[in-house]
Amino acid sequence: MIGQTVRLADAISIARILAVPIILGFVLWHPPSLFVPAAAIFLIAAISDLLDGYVARRSGKASTLGIYLDLVADKILTSCVLLVFVDLGILPTWPAALIITREFIVSGLRTVAAAEGLIIPAAAWGKHKTLVTNAAIFMLFLAFAGSELPANMSISSVTPVQIFAYFIMYIAVILTITSGLRYVYNARHVLFQMMKH
């Protein structure tokens, strides 16, 4: 029973990764007319992160594959969508670069810590960052669904929903920086250990 539960959690993570090319296909095929279905799939994929975590906790055991999939699935989903937003002109390069860079730094520290047998305590700030970033991406999908992309827009045509979506995204950027700095601080023992080698 436990093995089946673990496999279910792994399957949910794999499904989240497989959702990425579908989302990108909708976004790139004929933007922004298919942003609504892309937003719906993105929302389901983001919520599935909570589901596979719940399933894994319920079993009380996680597979090595499951831990790996859970770590990379969210990063693949978020990074790919952010890069497409940059390509379409919806998002400036720097917010996407900051968010993705933070993920590289945290993943690198986790890898080194695991190799050294060290534990870096998780912080609630990271979860808040993920939640707000996903909300901002979802809002940007909806804000530009069926409307002109930024390259064809004038200042007067910017809608309140688009302004709100950007506001949420910049909150996500602030949380990205803050949570990243806190994570590095919590991982200072890992950094000190690296300096000794």
Side-chain angles (χ1 to χ4, degrees):
M1 180 64 181
I2 292 177
Q4 291 177 342
T5 305
V6 171
R7 284 194 293 272
L8 175 59
D10 294 351
I12 294 171
S13 294
I14 292 172
R16 190 156 67 255
I17 295 173
L18 294 178
V20 173
I22 299 174
I23 295 170
L24 298 186
F26 279 136
V27 172
L28 294 173
W29 182 29
H30 196 247
S33 61
L34 296 176
F35 274 19
V36 171
I41 297 173
F42 177 83
L43 181 61
I44 293 170
I47 292 174
S48 75
D49 179 36
L50 302 176
L51 181 60
D52 67 12
Y54 169 77
V55 171
R57 286 192 299 272
R58 185 179 177 185
S59 69
K61 184 180 180 181
S63 67
T64 303
L65 175 63
I67 295 171
Y68 170 74
L69 289 173
D70 187 52
L71 286 174
V72 302
D74 300 328
K75 294 171 178 55
I76 292 173
L77 176 66
T78 303
S79 299
C80 286
V81 175
L82 289 174
L83 290 174
V84 169
F85 280 169
V86 171
D87 182 59
L88 294 176
I90 292 174
L91 195 65
T93 302
W94 67 268
L98 279 173
I99 293 171
I100 294 172
T101 299
R102 187 260 188 202
E103 299 306 331
F104 273 111
I105 292 172
V106 170
S107 295
L109 285 173
R110 280 177 173 163
T111 301
V112 173
E116 296 290 336
L118 301 172
I119 297 174
I120 303 175
W125 283 78
K127 295 179 181 179
H128 296 157
K129 182 271 305 177
T130 299
L131 178 63
V132 176
T133 302
N134 288 339
I137 290 173
F138 181 72
M139 286 300 302
L140 283 171
F141 271 130
L142 297 185
F144 285 96
S147 67
E148 294 288 342
L149 291 176
N152 302 316
M153 290 172 59
S154 63
I155 296 297
S156 60
S157 64
V158 177
T159 68
V161 176
Q162 290 166 351
I163 294 173
F164 179 71
Y166 283 122
F167 175 73
I168 299 299
M169 177 56 74
Y170 292 128
I171 290 178
V173 171
I174 292 171
L175 287 174
T176 293
I177 296 170
T178 305
S179 65
L181 291 175
R182 288 176 64 90
Y183 195 90
V184 170
Y185 177 76
N186 289 338
R188 61 191 183 280
H189 57 292
V190 177
L191 297 172
F192 293 146
Q193 192 78 7
M194 290 168 59
M195 293 176 185
K196 293 179 182 179
H197 294 299

